[in-house]
Amino acid sequence: MLFRPLTDLSRPSRRSLLKGGAALTGALIVGAATGFGARRAGAAADAPEFDPPARPDAFIRIDADDTVTVLIKHLDMGQGIATGLTTIVAEELDADWEQMRFAFAPADHRLYNNLSFGPVQGTGASTGIPNSWMQLRKAGAAARAMLIGAAAQEWGVAPGDVIVTKGRIRHPGSGRETGFGAFAAAAAARAIPADPILKTRADFVHVGKHRPRLDGAAKARGEAVYSLDIRRPGQLTAMVAHPPRFGARLAGFDDTSARAVPGVVDVVAIPTGVAVVARDTWSAMKGREALQVRWDESRAETRSSDDLRAEFHALGLEPGRRAAFRGDANAGMRNAVRIIEAAYDFPYLAHAAMEPLNGVVERKADGGYAAWGAFQMQTLDQAVIARIMGVTADRVTLNTLFAGGSFGRRGATTSDWIAEAAHILKATGERAPIHLVWTREDDMRAGYYRPMVHHRVLVGLGADNLPRSWVQRIVGKPILAGSPFEAMDFSGIEHQMVEGADDPIYALDDFRLEVHNTREQVPVLWWRSVGHTHTAQVTETMMDELAAIAGADPVAYRLYFLGQSPRDATVLRLAADRSGWGGEMPMGDGIRRGRGVAVHRSFGSHVAMVAEVAVEGDDVRVERIVAAVDCGIVINPDNVRAQVEGAIGFALSSVLRNAVSLDEGRVVEGNFDTFQPTRFSEMPRVEVHLVASDAPPTGMGEPGVPPLAPAICNAVHAATGLRIRALPIDLSRARGA
């Protein structure tokens, strides 16, 4: 079977090469919130904090039928990480692809920590492949060496005379041959090599080649298990009535009508609202509609988006806390012949993953607890459940399942959705498993958002119209503000706010970046590519504007400043070449067309994009995107292309129309009718070109997002002459500006 029951995967069998890992015994480690881009400025996204040991017993299970199961420590939310990590093991193990399987690992930060985060098991910041690259290579190579040693001992030959190819162990001299399963048990009893010999890139047979995704067939057949599929014995469904304004608190409720709804079995108050518990989702939903709830809004957020934006603009006019600098920006500005000033605005954005938030928690017969869900930060989620239920973390078993998207949402610092399920289980006396279900509107109006952000940029030009000084201010709410982990930030500068702006790829001698931290009550969270979603837009549209002032070609202008960033220069040249940069764009019938470019480095990867747009009236249609990518060694070219295509599809709607807006503190948008995802009919033609590299692999889950908006906006300017300084694009507003 491709997928085994999750209950069988909490610990591998004794007969397998894997012996499994010990349970997490401690409570929450403070470092749990350092993920999703919260790295020190300048740190490489592919640099683990320590050299990972070779632990085949933690990651690889070999069964008697020769199947190899790789335990995946990360959440697969559609990005294909399960297939990518399995490919790395298959490579060093010299396995045949047909024998490879995967399963999600149990929650155990000692065995399955993300090496880029610290002692925390979690997924984010596009670290899945980079942090696991050497760890799984060593595990696979060690397992291969242990199999060879076991076979050599049994056959009475030298280990150097035994070879492994395509999942078969062979001794050419005697003609002996067998599969992995025959020696799995004996290999498991051998000492693990501390420094196994790794293959050279020239010998790779899986890495860099197309390998079909291991989850594809099961998803196509509807066999893949999501938390909405879980049905535990006696399970009840719960839905929560949340405050209509952020910061409001429960003042009281009347549940008489709710309890009268057929199927409703209980109504309980929890820290985040009032939960209706029923025998099915429909009954829970109708019961919640019948609730009469009073909210204390004396400390609630009551400002509108326009109110907040005006406050942000005022802050942007004042000096902020210094986040990064080079040279003397003040002197450069004083000596400038001309100063260019621009302001940029970015709205709140919802994650809007296709699968609504949901999860199951139950009390086990031994007094511990089990949970099923799409866990993105296992260490944090496990610790939160344990704290609520009053047990140590080792008493909580997490069963990680597929996620129907996340984009950062399932990694909230509060573990909000699974915390609610645990609170409801506790409030109902733990008498039945609780399946918490959020609707789309629940998440859209009571969830977390990409922060609203304002930028103000001043560029001082010399007599040659080249920049001499660059001063930039960012105004927005830090993601950890108000969270349990806010105290971890000792500098007052949160990296997620400034990433992509604090270490520009361009050679700017006099540069200063400042930050204003806001404190509105709207809860914010990392959103696919986090701070890069706005910093790339500002830098790349400003660079286009400066190129126009200098009378230079936008590509040539950027290359002039990329002398110290050769990998960025390479992808920029490649995207320009493959797009036909400089060629004429067809016009006519009232349609204006333009081509725009952007290049950005994020999560260790370098991506350039050229966008081609058609503008008719106020309507912008993106017709073509040409992307060039350098993400180091490519594990699976098809998956990298899919990540770029998916990033474009995900982010395009936020460029063209989407925003989360507040009206007197209430979120206006509620579902896909008012926050519309990209439609198939508007998806542009996408071409993705990969740069061959010997560098370690870097992240690709997010780097396809940042260059998209500036490439499109620069193309709109090429077509219309309008500068876009606010997203989503609004040509009528741009004309007025």
Side-chain angles (χ1 to χ4, degrees):
M1 293 175 59
L2 185 60
F3 296 95
R4 300 168 185 270
L6 285 169
T7 52
D8 295 337
L9 299 175
S10 59
R11 287 291 182 270
S13 66
R14 292 174 180 266
R15 298 181 61 187
S16 67
L17 179 58
L18 261 188
K19 297 179 181 178
L24 179 64
T25 57
L28 174 63
I29 295 175
V30 173
T34 62
F36 306 164
R39 308 178 56 81
R40 62 188 183 277
D46 59 336
E49 296 299 325
F50 56 90
D51 190 35
R55 287 296 304 267
D57 58 321
F59 292 99
I60 305 168
R61 182 177 75 188
I62 298 176
D63 290 327
D65 63 357
D66 294 339
T67 59
V68 178
T69 301
V70 178
L71 291 197
I72 306 301
K73 66 182 183 179
H74 293 290
L75 173 66
D76 197 316
M77 55 198 91
Q79 80 275 40
I81 191 68
T83 299
L85 298 182
T86 301
T87 302
I88 297 171
V89 172
E91 186 63 74
E92 294 293 349
L93 191 59
D94 269 321
D96 185 77
W97 188 248
E98 295 302 317
Q99 71 187 114
M100 301 305 296
R101 309 287 187 268
F102 77 89
F104 294 115
D108 187 338
H109 77 283
R110 294 175 301 177
L111 288 176
Y112 302 116
N113 62 302
N114 186 317
L115 303 181
S116 296
F117 289 0
V120 175
Q121 184 178 354
T123 308
S126 297
T127 58
I129 292 291
N131 96 94
S132 302
W133 170 242
M134 289 304 298
Q135 183 179 51
L136 292 185
R137 288 188 71 190
K138 288 184 177 182
R144 181 179 181 276
M146 294 161 74
L147 287 167
I148 288 175
Q153 182 176 0
E154 175 68 20
W155 293 339
V157 299
D161 293 333
V162 178
I163 62 174
V164 179
T165 55
K166 293 185 177 181
R168 304 292 292 176
I169 306 172
R170 297 182 174 92
H171 180 245
S174 64
R176 291 190 179 98
E177 178 180 331
T178 187
F180 290 165
F183 289 108
R190 300 179 68 85
I192 300 173
D195 192 20
I197 298 174
L198 303 178
K199 296 170 75 171
T200 64
R201 188 181 177 193
D203 294 328
F204 286 169
V205 296
H206 294 297
V207 169
K209 309 296 192 301
H210 167 68
R211 294 292 179 265
R213 280 181 56 152
L214 296 177
D215 56 344
K219 288 180 176 178
R221 292 193 296 259
E223 296 171 355
V225 178
Y226 295 81
S227 48
L228 276 173
D229 299 318
I230 297 299
R231 296 293 183 271
R232 302 296 299 160
Q235 173 179 304
L236 297 174
T237 299
M239 303 190 84
V240 177
H242 298 105
R245 288 187 172 95
F246 302 111
R249 299 183 179 185
L250 179 64
F253 64 95
D254 182 346
D255 61 5
T256 305
S257 297
R259 289 182 180 273
V261 173
V264 171
V265 299
D266 208 349
V267 179
V268 295
I270 61 172
T272 53
V274 182
V276 176
V277 183
R279 303 195 186 283
D280 54 72
T281 305
W282 180 253
S283 299
M285 186 180 299
K286 301 308 289 184
R288 184 175 65 169
E289 292 174 2
L291 266 178
Q292 298 179 37
V293 185
R294 291 181 292 107
W295 303 102
D296 175 3
E297 297 186 340
S298 59
R299 288 179 283 181
E301 181 63 73
T302 58
R303 289 170 291 182
S304 69
S305 299
D306 289 340
D307 294 336
L308 291 170
R309 192 172 297 110
E311 294 179 19
F312 283 23
H313 282 208
L315 282 173
L317 295 172
E318 302 294 331
R321 183 173 300 185
R322 190 171 69 175
F325 71 97
R326 296 178 191 166
D328 189 342
N330 288 338
M333 204 66 72
R334 286 194 300 269
N335 296 327
V337 173
R338 179 182 178 187
I339 295 177
I340 307 300
E341 184 174 5
Y344 300 83
D345 288 302
F346 302 86
Y348 295 111
L349 289 172
H351 300 80
M354 194 60 64
E355 179 196 10
L357 296 171
N358 72 102
V360 176
V361 181
E362 73 174 15
R363 179 181 175 88
K364 298 194 296 184
D366 63 3
Y369 297 88
W372 289 259
F375 299 111
Q376 189 165 348
M377 290 290 285
Q378 286 93 336
T379 301
L380 179 58
D381 298 333
Q382 185 182 44
V384 166
I385 295 171
R387 176 181 55 80
I388 293 169
M389 305 314 298
V391 297
T392 55
D394 62 301
R395 301 286 288 157
V396 177
T397 300
L398 296 189
N399 298 285
T400 297
L401 307 170
F402 285 112
S406 175
F407 317 117
R409 176 62 183 92
R410 300 177 194 276
T413 56
T414 56
S415 298
D416 59 336
W417 54 279
I418 202 63
E420 284 194 343
H423 277 299
I424 297 167
L425 178 68
K426 186 174 184 178
T428 54
E430 305 179 18
R431 63 180 183 270
I434 295 296
H435 184 191
L436 174 76
V437 177
W438 282 39
T439 64
R440 179 89 51 213
E441 288 82 359
D442 288 338
D443 198 26
M444 195 74 73
R445 292 179 173 152
Y448 285 80
Y449 310 89
R450 196 279 304 270
M452 173 188 281
V453 184
H454 172 70
H455 287 244
R456 184 167 294 275
V457 178
L458 293 91
V459 180
L461 302 180
D464 55 2
N465 277 330
L466 293 179
R468 294 291 185 267
S469 181
W470 183 300
V471 176
Q472 184 170 349
R473 293 177 188 144
I474 303 177
V475 183
K477 183 178 179 179
I479 288 171
L480 294 182
S483 80
F485 307 102
E486 184 175 7
M488 293 168 50
D489 178 16
F490 300 108
S491 69
I493 305 295
E494 186 175 83
H495 180 59
Q496 292 108 318
M497 179 70 71
V498 301
E499 60 185 355
D502 60 343
D503 186 23
I505 62 176
Y506 300 110
L508 301 170
D509 293 333
D510 294 314
F511 162 83
R512 187 172 74 248
L513 178 68
E514 300 172 355
V515 169
H516 286 282
N517 293 328
T518 63
R519 302 292 299 188
E520 72 272 18
Q521 295 201 58
V522 181
V524 296
L525 190 62
W526 20 74
W527 188 89
R528 192 173 184 175
S529 78
V530 203
H532 297 281
T533 62
H534 49 90
T535 59
Q537 169 75 0
V538 172
T539 300
E540 287 303 293
T541 55
M542 176 55 76
M543 287 298 289
D544 233 56
E545 191 164 345
L546 296 177
I549 292 171
D553 175 84
V555 171
Y557 187 83
R558 286 170 169 80
L559 290 172
Y560 178 83
F561 292 97
L562 286 176
Q564 298 176 357
S565 304
R567 295 175 74 178
D568 296 296
T570 296
V571 294
L572 177 58
R573 289 191 183 97
L574 180 58
D577 177 67
R578 297 302 176 89
S579 70
W581 182 264
E584 293 294 324
M585 297 288 292
M587 300 290 182
D589 297 327
I591 298 176
R592 293 160 291 171
R593 286 185 166 84
R595 189 181 282 123
V597 67
V599 58
H600 191 74
R601 177 184 64 215
S602 63
F603 308 99
S605 295
H606 311 256
V607 180
M609 287 186 182
V610 173
E612 295 180 359
V613 305
V615 181
E616 186 173 8
D618 286 343
D619 181 58
V620 176
R621 185 173 68 256
V622 183
E623 298 186 325
R624 182 186 181 211
I625 298 290
V626 178
V629 176
D630 179 354
C631 59
I633 293 174
V634 174
I635 306 301
N636 187 320
D638 286 350
N639 205 44
V640 171
R641 293 188 179 95
Q643 282 301 291
V644 176
E645 293 164 354
I648 291 168
F650 168 78
L652 183 59
S653 59
S654 69
V655 179
L656 297 181
R657 60 176 167 270
N658 278 343
V660 168
S661 54
L662 302 181
D663 181 5
E664 296 183 347
R666 294 173 181 260
V667 174
V668 175
E669 293 72 25
N671 210 314
F672 286 157
D673 56 339
T674 50
F675 195 90
Q676 297 180 18
T678 301
R679 307 298 184 184
F680 282 116
S681 60
E682 61 186 347
M683 187 68 185
R685 179 158 53 97
V686 178
E687 303 167 28
V688 182
H689 304 279
L690 307 181
V691 175
S693 175
D694 290 322
T698 49
M700 272 314 300
E702 295 166 277
V705 170
L708 180 69
I712 292 172
C713 290
N714 290 335
V716 169
H717 174 264
T720 66
L722 296 173
R723 289 292 176 192
I724 307 300
R725 294 203 176 114
L727 291 179
I729 294 173
D730 184 337
L731 293 187
S732 62
R733 180 175 57 187
R735 289 190 189 94

